Amino acid sequence: MTDARSKRLLPILDAPRAHGGRSSMTCRYRCGDACFHPVPNRSDNEYFADMVTEAVADRLSRRGVLRIGVAGTVAAGLSAGLTLPAAAAEKSGTAATEVAKGSSLGFAPVPPNTLDSIVVPNGYDHDVLIRWGQPILPGAPAFDPHRQAPAAQAMQFGYNNDFVGVLPLERDDRALLVVNHEYTNEELMFPGWKGHEAATDKQKQIAILAHGISVVMIERAGRTGRWKVVPPAKARKYNRRIHGRTTFAFTGAAAGSKLLRTSADRTGKKAQGTFNNCAGGITPWGTMLSGEENFNQYFVGGDGAPEADKAALLRYGIPTDTRYPDASRRWETVDERFDLTAEPHEANRFGWIVEVDPFDPDSTPRKHTALGRFKHEGANVRLSDDGRAVAYMGDDERFDYLYKFVSSRRMRAGSGAAVRRHNLGLLEDGTLYAAKLSFTSADEIDGSGKLPSDGAFDGKGEWIPLVKGDRSLVPGMTVDEVLVHTRFAGDKVGATKMDRPEDVEPNLRTGKVYAALTNNTDRGMPGKKEGATEVAPRNENKHGQILELTEQGNDAAATRFTWSLPIVCGDPADESTYFAGYDKTKVSPISCPDNVAFDPAGNLWISTDGNALEANDGLFAVPLKGEERGHVKQFLTVPVGAETCGPWIADDARTVFVAVQHPGEVDDASFEEPASTWPDGSYARPAVVNVWRNDGGRVGS
Ligand code: FEO
Ligand code: CA
Ligand code: CA
């Protein structure tokens, strides 16, 4: 970060090191210094050689999305039963017209800055909706950073909010806010922190419980798009904390596999807790999906794991030549399962997509093995033409892969208990695919980011099936091996190496899928495996790019697609950037795209993590259609050291929800000497904010 403190050494780190615009502290706590370890993908699968493709035909029917509020559920998506263009247009009103002609975003962009505050455009306002430690269960004590306790944290809002989803309740002035708590930063959480080696058992227990997911009832406040939290005593019907001790059930073909069995769970069917939940999604049947990402960092003792397990540990970023990886939180002293020497399979029980039913606080959350195991950023669902659930997913690691899952059964419409039970089972059985891309201009890619002579970074692609139901389609691997060690399966089928796929999300207005490829500073570096390709056209890629994927026939279940890069991020003055051909003098600088979302008009919203342009991270919006396609504008910036997460644009487009993650995460900062004092002026505290237009109008238009 630009704060002077970011350039000082963090005493407990070995060396002053950071990647892109991230502080060393973020690298350590978020990913366990993943970027400083060897790239886990050591496979030599290559990308296809040049394959000429004709121009990409946009054959989309531009069908809208039908959102129907049914008892306790939200339905959103495209399906045979629900695809009613006329009804959708009627529902969405002006939004459908706007997307057809290409919508513009009416706000004046927020300039890049390094302020320790939230900055929104003129005519907008914002407020903190909920903070780390705020009571969400009845009886939870008020937050006091000097009197933290495990039992309190288990009833309070967790740390480092990331994914944000909002599910309408039947009373339309109320909704459920669902939020992931990705990771803890003990240096900023605990007064008097003296390092992980000196951490107390109590601090470790608090950290375990500060991870996970929160479900919180919120209600509208006034006539603008502003919301507030419903007091816990009045929200007991729904409010919930899921954390590192919550029981999860495994589903799918790998449930019960010997690869998932431990001494505490000899069935291999029950996991304890969820960690590093990064992005996520809301399903058309009204549940939340959440991705377990950098789970590797919670484990020690890889050196003592059985030899037979070591290759898989390494492929997932767990060192096998040392007991204590650099970023170790030393949780094995309070819970032996975090020691892989004692419990070599415990790491296999993380790295999944989890599904939570926010409408049923007594339900057991599930880990779906059918969606594979990797560093799941998140999962977002669109329905296929025949109504099957298709989940798009990214494995956020340098040179790792894009995936999708297609359910074997179709979603059912309606609200009865039998329908709900059916839909809740959709992600338990289906086909898992990895993406293999081909290129139109491979010969012209030189690592500089220069646009090829055909005017596009583009090509075709194929979804390669890995598992269908309980049958492995990868030679030499059993079904549970493919699902538990999915990265090996991707290697074997020659999936395409990407620049850290973060959020992958379908635009329900058009069916096109967008992936944030956040960066990859190892791309093309001397001694590294792979140089620039058409989908990763810059070596030492510091700023990332956005991928747009169009399924054949616009059917989410298709096994072929076309793709292009509408945006190659960075300072627009930098020749290697590209904004869909839009006038670069008019776009906002953007670096390290991470989470994506769509507003009801179909505009793409992009949040950033680790801005490598010497300014704070932000939230950006960009039209995808018409003359304004590529006109990226910054909507908001977050405080010093923070990352912009979420985001979530309300169904009525009157509110933008943003998770402000790790404010003040600047090297050498501490609770007592914070680099940020957002939001309350004393110490840094992760929180979710909501933003609205002062006149109550639609955000962005
Ligand atoms: Fe948690 Fe890939 O960001
Ligand atoms: Ca091309
Ligand atoms: Ca992310």
Side-chain angles (χ1 to χ4, degrees):
M1 287 292 122
T2 49
D3 190 293
R5 272 174 286 203
S6 69
K7 301 192 173 56
R8 301 215 300 268
L9 302 193
L10 182 64
I12 58 167
L13 290 176
D14 301 336
R17 48 189 199 172
H19 270 256
R22 272 189 177 177
S23 68
S24 303
M25 197 187 237
T26 298
C27 292
R28 174 176 186 160
Y29 284 96
R30 149 76 65 65
C31 330
D33 282 339
C35 295
F36 302 103
H37 297 136
V39 169
N41 189 351
R42 295 167 200 195
S43 71
D44 53 7
N45 31 315
E46 306 203 10
Y47 50 89
F48 272 147
D50 192 16
M51 257 180 68
V52 179
T53 186
E54 64 277 8
V56 177
D58 181 358
R59 296 189 297 163
L60 294 176
S61 56
R62 290 195 187 119
R63 292 172 298 187
V65 183
L66 186 61
R67 287 180 179 270
I68 43 172
V70 291
T73 72
V74 178
L78 303 172
S79 81
L82 298 176
T83 302
L84 303 168
E90 188 185 333
K91 274 293 259 200
S92 57
T94 54
T97 318
E98 279 175 20
V99 76
K101 71 175 197 279
S103 59
S104 62
L105 291 156
F107 62 89
V110 168
N113 64 75
T114 55
L115 300 169
D116 189 28
S117 58
I118 301 279
V119 183
V120 296
N122 287 334
Y124 288 78
D125 208 346
H126 77 280
D127 194 11
V128 174
L129 181 61
I130 188 165
R131 297 158 167 80
W132 164 50
Q134 193 165 325
I136 62 171
L137 298 186
F143 182 67
D144 178 346
H146 299 282
R147 295 167 55 110
Q148 297 182 53
Q153 179 63 83
M155 297 195 286
Q156 297 167 332
F157 197 62
Y159 198 76
N160 264 347
N161 30 229
D162 195 315
F163 171 74
V164 173
V166 178
L167 289 142
L169 289 168
E170 282 186 86
R171 259 180 69 174
D172 74 355
D173 60 343
R174 289 200 164 171
L176 295 181
L177 178 80
V178 289
V179 177
N180 285 348
H181 304 291
E182 187 177 16
Y183 68 102
T184 46
N185 183 327
E186 286 78 353
E187 292 177 56
L188 304 183
M189 289 172 71
F190 297 118
W193 177 256
K194 293 194 171 55
H196 289 282
E197 291 79 359
T200 63
D201 287 357
K202 184 172 157 189
Q203 286 170 325
K204 293 178 187 181
Q205 299 285 12
I206 291 167
I208 288 169
L209 297 166
H211 284 72
I213 295 165
S214 290
V215 180
V216 183
M217 193 193 285
I218 57 173
E219 64 186 358
R220 289 186 186 277
R223 295 181 180 195
T224 60
R226 185 178 185 178
W227 292 74
K228 63 181 183 184
V229 169
V230 174
K234 293 183 178 170
R236 62 177 75 230
K237 181 175 175 189
Y238 293 114
N239 280 14
R240 184 172 193 185
R241 260 317 306 284
I242 288 168
H243 47 61
R245 300 273 183 220
T246 305
T247 298
F248 282 72
F250 283 111
T251 78
S257 162
K258 64 178 188 305
L259 295 171
L260 297 181
R261 293 180 205 156
T262 63
S263 53
D265 171 28
R266 298 192 183 280
T267 68
K269 292 183 175 175
K270 269 196 290 187
Q272 191 187 135
T274 189
F275 295 104
N276 220 265
N277 300 73
C278 192
I282 299 298
T283 63
W285 51 95
T287 60
M288 174 218 210
L289 302 180
S290 169
E292 295 180 332
E293 194 190 19
N294 293 297
F295 61 87
N296 52 305
Q297 66 182 297
Y298 300 102
F299 295 94
V300 304
D303 59 339
E307 289 305 313
D309 292 324
K310 284 189 172 173
L313 292 176
L314 270 177
R315 185 66 181 85
Y316 283 81
I318 296 174
T320 55
D321 57 355
T322 177
R323 175 159 175 77
Y324 296 113
D326 293 344
S328 167
R329 284 176 175 76
R330 305 289 174 96
W331 285 354
E332 78 285 357
T333 65
V334 295
D335 195 339
E336 197 182 33
R337 67 188 170 120
F338 295 109
D339 181 351
L340 295 169
T341 302
E343 284 294 351
H345 287 169
E346 185 66 14
N348 292 346
R349 291 145 67 83
F350 299 90
W352 301 101
I353 289 294
V354 307
E355 182 174 16
V356 174
D357 181 356
F359 295 102
D360 181 2
D362 298 323
S363 58
T364 302
R366 292 165 298 154
K367 301 196 179 195
H368 291 306
T369 68
L371 278 65
R373 175 174 166 269
F374 37 93
K375 289 190 181 177
H376 271 290
E377 176 76 14
N380 281 277
V381 172
R382 179 191 160 207
L383 299 182
S384 66
D385 282 0
D386 63 3
R388 285 177 288 160
V390 180
Y392 291 92
M393 305 175 284
D395 182 351
D396 180 5
E397 187 94 61
R398 294 162 292 163
F399 303 107
D400 259 294
Y401 310 132
L402 279 177
Y403 297 87
K404 84 170 176 182
F405 166 85
V406 181
S407 69
S408 58
R409 286 172 294 172
R410 300 174 184 188
M411 181 181 146
R412 289 186 191 154
S415 58
V419 168
R420 184 134 191 90
R421 235 183 352 262
H422 170 88
N423 291 338
L424 286 170
L426 288 173
L427 302 183
E428 297 183 356
D429 183 79
T431 305
L432 179 66
Y433 300 89
K436 190 167 185 170
L437 275 59
S438 64
F439 308 121
T440 59
S441 313
D443 290 350
E444 294 180 48
I445 302 301
D446 60 5
S448 70
K450 183 169 174 284
L451 198 66
S453 53
D454 66 358
F457 299 109
D458 62 349
K460 290 182 175 178
E462 192 181 347
W463 292 108
I464 312 289
L466 307 176
V467 157
K468 187 173 168 66
D470 58 5
R471 192 158 52 91
S472 168
L473 302 173
V474 180
M477 293 180 80
T478 62
V479 65
D480 48 348
E481 286 169 347
V482 174
L483 295 178
V484 176
H485 300 143
T486 309
R487 284 182 166 182
F488 283 142
D491 297 343
K492 282 203 169 203
V493 303
T496 297
K497 292 176 172 141
M498 311 294 282
D499 286 349
R500 292 188 52 203
E502 297 248 26
D503 244 359
V504 188
E505 187 160 341
N507 182 347
L508 297 180
R509 282 242 159 258
T510 63
K512 288 178 188 279
V513 179
Y514 294 82
L517 302 165
T518 195
N519 60 47
N520 183 353
T521 46
D522 277 8
R523 176 72 67 180
M525 288 288 280
K528 308 289 181 185
K529 192 156 282 182
E530 186 174 85
T533 68
E534 197 162 354
V535 74
R538 292 181 296 192
N539 287 332
E540 294 180 57
N541 177 13
K542 280 192 293 198
H543 300 299
Q545 61 268 17
I546 302 286
L547 173 84
E548 183 180 66
L549 186 156
T550 307
E551 299 277 22
Q552 191 169 52
N554 199 28
D555 182 359
T559 55
R560 293 184 181 276
F561 58 86
T562 55
W563 65 268
S564 69
L565 299 181
I567 297 170
V568 179
C569 300
D571 180 341
D574 172 349
E575 280 191 0
S576 75
T577 58
Y578 177 68
F579 296 90
Y582 198 84
D583 180 353
K584 288 211 239 177
T585 64
K586 296 190 172 132
V587 304
S588 297
I590 179 171
S591 172
C592 301
D594 186 336
N595 300 127
V596 298
F598 302 91
D599 63 28
N603 298 306
L604 173 66
W605 292 66
I606 306 165
S607 63
T608 67
D609 168 19
N611 187 347
L613 293 169
E614 300 289 311
N616 289 353
D617 275 311
L619 175 62
F620 301 76
V622 55
L624 296 168
K625 291 280 184 188
E627 290 175 0
E628 289 289 299
R629 178 173 160 93
H631 189 180
V632 172
K633 293 206 287 189
Q634 184 157 255
F635 177 77
L636 165 153
T637 55
V638 292
V640 171
E643 151 186 6
T644 324
C645 293
W648 183 269
I649 320 298
D651 290 353
D652 63 4
R654 291 170 64 211
T655 318
V656 175
F657 297 88
V658 173
V660 179
Q661 197 189 54
H662 60 76
E665 196 166 68
V666 169
D667 296 350
D668 215 12
S670 63
F671 181 88
E672 290 84 359
E673 288 194 61
S676 166
T677 57
W678 187 88
D680 301 317
S682 45
Y683 55 94
R685 194 172 175 191
V688 175
V689 300
N690 61 155
V691 186
W692 61 88
R693 234 169 79 167
N694 289 331
D695 65 4
R698 294 161 69 96
V699 169
S701 62

